[in-house]
Amino acid sequence: MKTASYTDTRTATGGVGKYPLSTETLDFIQDQIKLLELLAGVGGSNYILKAPDGMSGGVAVIVNAQKQTEVVEINQRPLFSTSVRYLTVTTRAEDIKADAETYKEARIMRMAQFTTAKGAESYDINSFVNVNGKALEAFPTNAVLAAQIKNMPATVLNYLKDILAEKLTAKTVQGLTQKQLDGLKTPCVLSCTASVALFNGITDYTVVITAQGSRMARQEIIQGDDCHYVRTWNGAAWGAWCQQIETAMHLDVKIVRSTVYLRHGALGADCDIVLLRKKKRSAYRRTGGAQSYTKNKGKRQKRQPKSQYVHFKGIRLSKGTPGKWYVPKCIGVADPKTDSNLIGKELPTLCASLFYVGHGGFYRMQGSRKKIVLKSTANKKGTCHKAYAPVGVQIARLKPTGGKDSGGEIVRMKYRVSQRPLYKGQHTAGSIYGYTWERSFSLE
């Protein structure tokens, strides 16, 4: 840095401390101040170092049109608010009068203030690093930054762990031993050659390892012509190998009027058959939960409107014998206090609450805006004589914290409500004396 010896400068005649005060000296001092101003650039492009409080002004750091870092004062009013869109800088030249002489534009005064309209030199308020949305955050001190850097390794490692858990790594292994296979509990995909023979003397196969919760793991061996074997680690020991007769996540369905029959392959103990209902999802996406970064917590953003299948009342259906048709019944619900009456019931009863009597005594189907009226009443705009609700059945693994994974393909069905006429005598239009509701299912 440039320095000057103001107090101990020696002259040619022997004088000490006689430093000349001149315009050249003042320019030297100003250069020293500008050098210090450059240090403000370490905080980023634009930032507000101190906001005005109405009694005293503030300080901001900007990168001006000449691409130079500049420190400017902010007027004590107006204060920062959600309506502020710009930080506007005004430049004013000031004359100086001395010794009966006027020095034109001897001083250049630059001041900034918060504005809603754009001026000759304005900086978008969102370009300041400590303005988040419509809120002005305090500029972090070195102590705060040091604490964040100290916690960064754990945060980054947790983030990488989540990403790697979703995207399984693939690797080719030659000569895999039984001991090495027993030690594999981290999610990955291995293509094994000349390895230990487990079934039918085959030494070339694929091993897929997936995590189940925080303690359990699952190994699946795929060999030959799509032949699958599965075993589970319970946290202490591996279970026995079990052959998958067919793809576990596949469901066959057949419908006889209101009775639904299912058929599936060999299912693991961690697999459940769940009942789904299609509904409109929220128009907003929540970006920040308890585990998210501070700047994302509590935030929401709009997303594309669409309908999606959701787990209906947490209903879990019974499993059957692999490869055989059976009628599923409810074996579990999310809220036993409210829905315990559904236990042991078949699909027609489980879906009955989708058809209900709404406001004004009209019949309605969930997900449909139209009112359902009797066939004896003329159909008009906003009404209908029959309706359906999209439902589905799927094999999925339920998470211990709630919800489910993506699971297998969804068997899409329609829960239909229509009207069947009641006849007195012969089946003619004139012999109809009433209508009864008829419930049925159909495949999409």
Side-chain angles (χ1 to χ4, degrees):
M1 183 176 176
K2 300 176 182 179
T3 59
S5 301
Y6 294 115
T7 58
D8 56 357
T9 301
R10 296 180 179 274
T11 64
T13 58
V16 179
K18 296 182 178 180
Y19 193 92
L21 183 60
S22 63
T23 56
E24 183 180 345
T25 301
L26 295 175
D27 188 58
F28 181 86
I29 295 173
Q30 185 168 259
D31 285 343
Q32 289 178 307
I33 296 172
K34 287 183 177 180
L35 189 60
L36 287 174
E37 187 177 47
L38 293 177
L39 289 175
V42 301
S45 55
N46 296 337
Y47 62 93
I48 297 172
L49 188 61
K50 177 180 178 295
D53 57 8
M55 301 296 293
S56 59
V59 179
V61 177
I62 60 173
V63 177
N64 57 30
Q66 290 75 39
K67 305 300 181 183
Q68 296 292 323
T69 302
E70 182 181 358
V71 180
V72 294
E73 293 183 81
I74 306 176
N75 286 336
Q76 61 187 27
R77 290 185 181 277
L79 302 179
F80 183 87
S81 66
T82 56
S83 62
V84 170
R85 297 182 60 190
Y86 301 98
L87 181 73
T88 300
V89 180
T90 55
T91 304
R92 178 174 59 86
E94 187 176 274
D95 298 341
I96 297 178
K97 292 183 179 180
D99 299 328
E101 186 73 33
T102 299
Y103 300 87
K104 295 290 186 179
E105 299 183 358
R107 292 174 182 167
I108 303 298
M109 313 296 289
R110 284 172 61 79
M111 291 292 294
Q113 69 176 25
F114 295 123
T115 61
T116 57
K118 190 173 184 179
E121 184 182 351
S122 293
Y123 300 86
D124 193 319
I125 200 66
N126 292 316
S127 68
F128 290 81
V129 295
N130 54 329
V131 174
N132 189 359
K134 293 292 185 179
L136 175 61
E137 299 175 349
F139 194 76
T141 62
N142 287 343
V144 173
L145 293 174
Q148 291 178 352
I149 292 173
K150 185 177 180 181
N151 295 330
M152 187 176 293
T155 303
V156 173
L157 286 176
N158 286 334
Y159 174 76
L160 291 177
K161 181 180 177 182
D162 292 340
I163 295 299
L164 292 176
E166 294 175 1
K167 300 183 178 179
L168 302 180
T169 57
K171 184 179 180 182
T172 301
V173 176
Q174 186 173 6
L176 183 73
T177 65
Q178 182 67 55
K179 185 176 180 180
Q180 290 173 328
L181 181 62
D182 292 341
L184 292 173
K185 304 179 185 71
T186 303
C188 63
V189 177
L190 300 179
S191 178
C192 304
T193 59
S195 300
V196 57
L198 297 173
F199 307 101
N200 305 322
I202 298 177
T203 58
D204 293 349
Y205 45 80
T206 301
V207 182
V208 181
I209 299 97
T210 53
Q212 294 179 223
S214 58
R215 295 188 314 111
M216 301 177 66
R218 180 176 182 268
Q219 285 185 351
E220 180 180 4
I221 287 183
I222 307 171
Q223 65 180 34
D225 188 13
D226 199 27
C227 189
H228 298 248
Y229 297 87
V230 175
R231 68 172 179 172
T232 303
W233 170 264
N234 61 9
W238 284 106
W241 288 101
C242 176
Q243 183 180 3
Q244 299 277 24
I245 296 176
E246 61 180 86
T247 307
M249 293 298 184
H250 176 71
L251 266 177
D252 289 326
V253 176
K254 69 177 180 180
I255 299 171
V256 180
R257 295 188 67 82
S258 63
T259 304
V260 178
Y261 295 86
L262 297 182
R263 183 175 63 182
H264 56 75
L267 299 179
D270 58 335
C271 291
D272 287 285
I273 303 176
V274 297
L275 179 63
L276 310 175
R277 177 173 81 87
K278 195 172 187 180
K279 60 178 289 189
K280 290 183 179 179
R281 73 176 184 182
S282 169
Y284 289 89
R285 176 185 291 109
R286 186 173 295 280
T287 60
Q291 304 272 339
S292 65
Y293 292 103
T294 303
K295 66 177 184 178
N296 289 334
K297 284 187 177 177
K299 299 283 182 66
R300 297 196 313 164
Q301 65 182 66
K302 276 200 167 185
R303 62 181 175 181
Q304 187 74 15
K306 63 177 283 189
S307 296
Q308 63 184 14
Y309 284 91
V310 297
H311 197 178
F312 182 43
K313 296 186 177 182
I315 293 175
R316 293 183 293 116
L317 301 175
S318 59
K319 303 174 186 177
T321 303
K324 294 186 177 181
W325 292 102
Y326 74 103
V327 178
K329 296 183 179 181
C330 176
I331 59 172
V333 292
D335 188 1
K337 291 183 179 179
T338 305
D339 301 317
S340 59
N341 60 309
L342 299 180
I343 303 296
K345 299 298 192 294
E346 299 177 12
L347 285 181
T349 304
L350 301 180
C351 297
S353 61
L354 298 175
F355 177 61
Y356 63 99
V357 178
H359 182 70
F362 288 99
Y363 292 100
R364 288 184 176 274
M365 181 69 79
Q366 284 193 25
S368 175
R369 295 182 178 181
K370 291 187 176 183
K371 304 169 186 175
I372 307 174
V373 296
L374 294 176
K375 280 192 173 181
S376 56
T377 304
N379 195 3
K380 57 183 180 180
K381 185 177 180 180
T383 65
C384 60
H385 290 151
K386 57 184 178 180
Y388 69 88
V391 296
V393 181
Q394 182 188 34
I395 298 175
R397 291 186 178 92
L398 301 182
K399 298 178 181 178
T401 56
K404 66 175 186 66
D405 65 8
S406 56
E409 73 267 28
I410 299 174
V411 179
R412 293 171 171 83
M413 300 184 293
K414 293 179 180 179
Y415 173 64
R416 297 180 176 276
V417 172
S418 58
Q419 300 176 52
R420 182 166 58 88
L422 299 175
Y423 296 95
K424 184 182 295 184
Q426 295 183 349
H427 287 196
T428 60
S431 62
I432 298 175
Y433 68 91
Y435 295 90
T436 183
W437 297 108
E438 189 174 67
R439 297 167 175 81
S440 61
F441 290 90
S442 66
L443 286 172
E444 286 192 5

